[in-house]
Amino acid sequence: AQSVAQPEDQVNVAEGNPLTVKCTYSVSGNPYLFWYVQYPNRGLQFLLKYITGDNLVKGSYGFEAEFNKSQTSFHLKKPSALVSDSALYFCAVRPTAGNKLTFGGGTRVLVKP
Amino acid sequence: KAGVTQTPRYLIKTRGQQVTLSCSPISGHRSVSWYQQTPGQGLQFLFEYFSETQRNKGNFPGRFSGRQFSNSRSEMNVSTLELGDSALYLCASSEGQDNSPLHFGNGTRLTVT
């Protein structure tokens, strides 16, 4: 069975500082990996995905994520955080052999001015 | 393109009643997935439909059911409502490939009293 872990319930960062949101996964075979963001009273918005190839994936709003197969991690990063980046972030995994998309528990990001 | 539309936005029901939630996917998307989001359990997968067939199913009791119509619109039904069914129900559509990102609606907030 596949699983996703986001070890931090909340991440606090000052505006302008780098932001990292951690994600590790467990899945049989090669995974498809995704990051989503959720703002209050809204659905989830797709940020980026890893399918294959380059381990560094660039996505929307200046976010990027690094796939590390040996550490089974897919951490989300942004070089310079904005107050507007404050939201709930979800990592998700789906095996390439098909199956449901499984989400991590979410990490709340708070960017302080 | 119009995004995923979920109706109604809010619902208040009484224990024992049943409820039907509706989801209109992005035009051209053939896959519709449903998720339950609660503060305690996070995002829980309910089911996925593709071309009117249930393709994946989560670990929810039989009181939770769904269907998809020939125009890809989907409905989910919850019978004999319990207090614990209070949640945000999210619908997401995709093109249907395993590496396709999900596009979420803003959800239906169900409150069971």
Side-chain angles (χ1 to χ4, degrees):
Chain A
Q2 67 241 41
S3 65
V4 180
Q6 294 181 241
E8 299 157 316
D9 289 337
Q10 181 160 323
V11 170
N12 297 317
V13 63
E15 188 175 30
N17 282 1
L19 169 64
T20 298
V21 185
K22 296 179 180 177
C23 170
T24 59
Y25 66 90
S26 173
V27 68
S28 299
N30 295 319
Y32 295 130
L33 294 156
F34 304 83
W35 275 101
Y36 291 84
V37 61
Q38 185 178 33
Y39 296 98
N41 299 314
R42 303 293 297 274
L44 281 68
Q45 294 179 30
F46 168 70
L47 281 177
L48 50 81
K49 67 178 179 180
Y50 172 82
I51 301 175
T52 187
D54 195 347
N55 290 341
L56 186 63
V57 179
K58 293 190 184 296
S60 306
Y61 312 118
F63 284 95
E64 57 189 29
E66 186 168 11
F67 172 65
N68 188 317
K69 188 173 183 178
S70 63
Q71 296 185 6
T72 61
S73 67
F74 189 55
H75 300 333
L76 181 70
K77 299 179 181 182
K78 186 171 184 180
S80 179
L82 301 172
V83 172
S84 57
D85 293 329
S86 298
L88 188 56
Y89 291 80
F90 290 95
C91 180
V93 65
R94 189 169 200 166
T96 54
N99 212 326
K100 62 183 182 180
L101 185 66
T102 298
F103 286 86
T107 297
R108 188 164 302 280
V109 170
L110 180 59
V111 181
K112 298 181 178 179
Chain B
K1 280 186 181 179
V4 177
T5 303
Q6 290 188 247
T7 56
R9 192 79 171 84
Y10 299 94
L11 264 178
I12 300 176
K13 290 287 187 179
T14 304
R15 262 187 312 174
Q17 289 185 315
Q18 76 164 17
V19 66
T20 299
L21 312 182
S22 180
C23 174
S24 293
I26 290 173
S27 177
H29 284 187
R30 296 166 64 189
S31 169
V32 173
S33 300
W34 289 88
Y35 287 81
Q36 181 196 64
Q37 185 177 23
T38 58
Q41 299 296 319
L43 279 162
Q44 303 265 308
F45 173 76
L46 283 154
F47 25 68
E48 179 193 5
Y49 288 87
F50 182 83
S51 294
E52 301 180 68
T53 300
Q54 188 178 85
R55 186 158 72 171
N56 281 303
K57 188 178 187 305
N59 298 321
F60 277 79
R63 300 185 297 107
F64 292 81
S65 63
R67 59 178 175 168
Q68 186 180 31
F69 302 96
S70 58
N71 62 359
S72 292
R73 193 176 69 83
S74 177
E75 289 180 347
M76 68 164 281
N77 185 76
V78 187
S79 61
T80 318
L81 284 166
E82 301 177 359
L83 295 179
D85 297 333
S86 295
L88 181 66
Y89 289 88
L90 293 166
C91 167
S93 73
S94 79
E95 294 176 353
Q97 289 80 37
D98 290 336
N99 61 12
S100 302
L102 300 184
H103 298 268
F104 285 81
N106 287 330
T108 294
R109 171 80 60 189
L110 172 64
T111 302
V112 182
T113 62

